[in-house]
Amino acid sequence: MRIEAARVIVCSPGRNFVTLRLETSDGISGVGDATLNGRELAVAAYLEKHVIPLLIGRDPARIEDTWQYLYKGAYWRRGPVTMTAIAAVDTALWDIKGKVAGLPVYQLLGGRSRSGVSVYGHANGSSLDGLLSSVSSFVDRGYRAVRVQAFVPGFPDIYGISSAPVYEPASAALPTEAVWSTPEYLAHIPSVFARVREEFGPTLRLLHDVHHRLTPIEAARLGKSLEPYALTWLEDPVPAELQDGYRLIRQHTTTPLAVGEVFNSIWDCERLIREQLIDYIRATVVHAGGITHLRRIFDLAALHHVRTGSHGATDLSPVCMSAALHLDLAIPNFGLQEYMPHAPATDEVFPHGYRYADGYLHPSEEPGLGVDIDESLAAKYPYRPASLPVNRLEDGTLHDW
Ligand code: KDG
Ligand code: MG
């Protein structure tokens, strides 16, 4: 069997997605997600100009070899664009392998390690009462883990909080700007968690995403002030470029730490994992080199008692979510999976067999990944430029986010 054709589909059913389809000489095809939020066309061009010509004629069964070929052969290693493109090829090849074998991909990865994939949802609100009712709506739907994000009084445009029914991190064609105040944030957030614990008791799993906005010592203070509320994790407390920051936070607090949604290689997290500076690794299939490379990261994490908590925002397509669920089901050190339902238009363009029930996602039992893209429907939703916002401090300084 050979790879006979490959094409990149860029569409925007509610938001932008980039998808790779590989077709084989046996008439089997596979799909991979290649969406890099706000930089979609860079990955599409990388695939079309530099990767697809290398794939035609290759044996689709050689997943590891193809991965190594694309990674090592380019000379230029790592980076979000390259690794997202490699991820798309890798994911599509796993899909094909599953279809050839007549098995869902999780079976090829070693079979089930659990009965379902525990997920967390995103609660937020423009007032404390709104936030509490948002948490409550997740609890009512069976969620046992909820991410809690709160508006800070006086700062209405905080990234990661939205009253829209479907969360959208990239709204405008050009970046919008929001103002951020660390003192106001640090003063406000503990009182929010106090209230949520009071209302929902001690066992609901609570998470919070800082979106890389603090310095290590500020994050240490936040972690300490949240200890009474026993979070499952504090996410991206600081930018992860300077990883000693995580050691500093660790020295001060027992609040568990999660990081990794912007990581694209095992080398981004090798030290954080080996030195047990984090508790959850949040890398995901589409941005971290596909199932093959993410499995490598997760196996390293397993050795060091670090659990997984893959990114699962709406800017990762149902193709990525399907792949993530197969991996989540199979690995020994799974922790939690982020789950933000897509817009109805997205679900229509990407028919998929995974389903949510009572706090868990279950991957499809169909051969392969159990997801597809309806290309003629996708063509009705052309690409729209979209960017992530940026943050400034009150004095106008450009800030991390
Ligand atoms: O594209 C960026 C978003 O996916 C990200 O900001 C969402 O932080 C996020 C999360 O935890 O889902
Ligand atoms: Mg996050």
Side-chain angles (χ1 to χ4, degrees):
M1 199 190 339
R2 296 281 156 217
I3 299 173
E4 246 181 21
R7 64 186 166 277
V8 177
I9 304 122
V10 181
C11 63
S12 192
R15 71 162 347 276
N16 292 323
F17 294 106
V18 180
T19 311
L20 175 71
R21 186 190 290 285
L22 299 182
E23 287 177 350
T24 71
S25 48
D26 285 17
I28 295 174
S29 81
V31 287
D33 185 16
T35 309
L36 183 62
N37 198 6
R39 295 292 182 270
E40 295 86 357
L41 301 184
V43 185
Y46 190 95
L47 281 166
E48 279 167 351
K49 307 286 181 211
H50 301 294
V51 174
I52 286 177
L54 309 177
L55 297 177
I56 305 304
R58 289 183 76 85
D59 177 357
R62 295 179 64 162
I63 298 180
E64 179 69 44
D65 185 57
T66 302
W67 196 96
Q68 298 294 337
Y69 183 80
L70 295 175
Y71 183 77
K72 294 177 177 164
Y75 185 74
W76 309 107
R77 299 186 183 196
R78 305 165 57 180
V81 174
T82 301
M83 297 303 276
T84 301
I86 295 178
V89 176
D90 183 80
T91 306
L93 292 179
W94 278 102
D95 191 21
I96 290 169
K97 196 176 273 299
K99 288 174 182 168
V100 170
L103 292 170
V105 166
Y106 76 81
Q107 293 290 8
L108 306 180
L109 298 170
R112 280 174 190 275
S113 286
R114 54 197 51 78
S115 50
V117 172
S118 302
V119 296
Y120 70 90
H122 282 211
N124 57 65
S126 52
S127 63
L128 198 46
D129 283 345
L131 173 64
L132 295 175
S133 79
S134 172
V135 176
S136 180
S137 77
F138 283 99
V139 173
D140 293 347
R141 282 175 280 155
Y143 283 77
R144 293 172 188 78
V146 182
R147 187 184 98 158
V148 172
Q149 302 299 117
F151 280 96
V152 175
F155 295 87
D157 290 331
I158 290 194
Y159 178 76
I161 301 181
S162 145
S163 47
V166 178
Y167 172 77
E168 178 43 70
S171 41
L174 294 173
T176 54
E177 298 198 0
V179 181
W180 170 257
S181 164
T182 298
E184 298 285 346
Y185 169 75
L186 289 178
H188 182 62
I189 289 296
S191 66
V192 171
F193 277 88
R195 193 68 188 87
V196 172
R197 275 286 175 231
E198 205 176 286
E199 193 79 16
F200 296 93
T203 58
L204 178 65
R205 301 181 74 182
L206 299 178
L207 301 83
H208 181 65
D209 192 348
V210 183
H211 292 294
H212 324 267
R213 288 182 189 129
L214 300 178
T215 65
I217 202 68
E218 290 164 350
R221 181 178 142 207
L222 177 64
K224 246 179 143 163
S225 64
L226 293 176
E227 277 173 21
Y229 315 115
L231 266 59
T232 292
W233 79 47
L234 185 66
E235 177 176 332
D236 291 338
V238 295
E241 287 98 325
L242 177 62
Q243 301 197 335
D244 280 337
Y246 283 83
R247 189 191 319 286
L248 190 143
I249 302 169
R250 263 289 200 251
Q251 284 161 352
H252 291 281
T253 179
T254 56
T255 294
L257 302 175
V259 66
E261 66 182 48
V262 301
F263 290 172
N264 50 68
S265 147
I266 198 165
W267 302 110
D268 293 333
C269 50
E270 188 266 343
R271 183 162 153 233
L272 290 175
I273 290 172
R274 183 168 38 80
E275 298 187 17
Q276 296 182 324
L277 300 179
I278 56 171
D279 301 278
Y280 293 89
I281 178 69
R282 283 187 34 76
T284 192
V285 172
V286 59
H287 300 138
I291 292 174
T292 299
H293 193 63
L294 193 60
R295 175 80 199 232
R296 199 151 281 147
I297 294 173
F298 287 175
D299 283 346
L300 175 71
L303 290 182
H304 297 281
H305 301 206
V306 172
R307 295 191 171 205
T308 72
S310 281
H311 190 200
T314 41
D315 50 294
L316 285 47
S317 91
V319 178
C320 175
M321 181 56 84
S322 300
L325 294 176
H326 286 277
L327 197 50
D328 290 342
L329 202 65
I331 53 172
N333 54 328
F334 169 74
L336 263 180
Q337 170 68 52
E338 181 179 18
Y339 176 45
M340 301 175 78
H342 286 106
T346 305
D347 286 336
E348 264 182 77
V349 166
F350 295 95
H352 54 265
Y354 61 79
R355 62 188 172 84
Y356 171 84
D358 199 24
Y360 296 94
L361 275 173
H362 301 274
S364 164
E365 290 296 330
E366 283 168 55
L369 294 173
V371 64
D372 207 347
I373 177 166
D374 179 335
E375 292 187 44
S376 44
L377 191 55
K380 298 192 175 138
Y381 298 97
Y383 168 79
R384 290 174 306 171
S387 301
L388 286 156
V390 295
N391 276 297
R392 289 188 187 275
L393 298 177
E394 287 159 286
D395 69 357
T397 307
L398 200 61
H399 191 44
D400 290 297
W401 66 275

